[in-house]
Amino acid sequence: MTKPKVLITGASSGLGLALAKRLNQDYCLILHASKEENIKELREGNYVLAADFSNPDELNEFCKKLKKDHGDDLFAVINNAGITIDKPLVFQPERDIDKMLMVNLKAPIMITKTVIKLFGLKKRGVVIQMSSCVAETGNAFQSVYSAAKAGLIAFTKSIAKEVANLYDNHRIRVLSVSPGFIETPMTDAVPQTEKEKYLTMIPAQRFGKPEEVAETIAFLLSEKASYINGSNIDINGGLF
Ligand code: NAD
């Protein structure tokens, strides 16, 4: 039996790579990175699709290729690719604001637009957006990033409702997950003093591991999670 296809954006490192390793057995993966050569692992038996999502033309081309090459047997999409450029808003150049909104919000919206249409034909599929705890808490120097991640949660809930208006007897689910502080290259860049401050806010008394986020997403993709829809799932050790 052929394996269902799952697209993971930002599969070259951190959460995306951990997720790819977790799903590799059960699914045929479409591994996305901003550059083709960034995908160094798990190429065998899977596909690689590169695009810089901060570039509107590349994003557009990516969506077209996804539909053309994988549209027939795509089962799920994890919109994981994301970027932080931490600064006080008053010092944030407009080009950085545009980049964060493109990669963190517009790209997931355009990819969802592409695949919801495809899923509608089979009335089956799952979309999972990678949001963040800061969508709910806010975070100084991450105002635009937080706004984009909060936008993803509202977008997710709206699309879940929209799907129900478009299709009867469907099994399409749209979800978001909001990790807290997870040990990846993105959080490696956080200064030690900041890390210690975060730790005091986490009842689990430790940072999360990429594998813990991957495990949650693997469950959400499975039939065991068939009644979880339109939800945002916190994976944060109780962070407040
Ligand atoms: P990471 O930096 O290791 O991975 C980010 C991924 O996004 C990379 O694969 C990268 O190639 C891709 N990406 C970055 N810019 C891109 C661009 N212009 N075009 C296309 N792809 C691009 O970070 P991570 O921690 O693994 O983050 C993965 C996701 O999880 C992000 O959306 C991030 O916002 C979210 N997140 C992470 C944490 C955490 O604590 N690590 C917490 C909450 C949410």
Side-chain angles (χ1 to χ4, degrees), residues 107-151:
I109 289 175
M110 296 310 290
I111 294 167
T112 304
K113 177 178 151 99
T114 304
V115 303
I116 283 293
K117 230 173 169 177
L118 301 168
F119 291 171
L121 298 172
K122 292 186 184 160
K123 297 190 173 185
R124 182 162 189 252
V126 184
V127 182
I128 300 180
Q129 319 286 4
M130 189 64 81
S131 183
S132 166
C133 59
V134 299
E136 294 161 287
T137 62
N139 202 19
F141 315 127
Q142 287 195 326
S143 58
V144 178
Y145 174 77
S146 305
K149 293 297 189 182

Side-chain angles (χ1 to χ4, degrees), residues 10 12-13 15 52-53 80 82 130-131 145 149 180 182 184 186-187:
S12 56
S13 72
L15 299 183
D52 178 348
F53 290 159
N80 163 76
M130 189 64 81
S131 183
Y145 174 77
K149 293 297 189 182
I182 313 296
T184 69
M186 187 179 268
T187 49

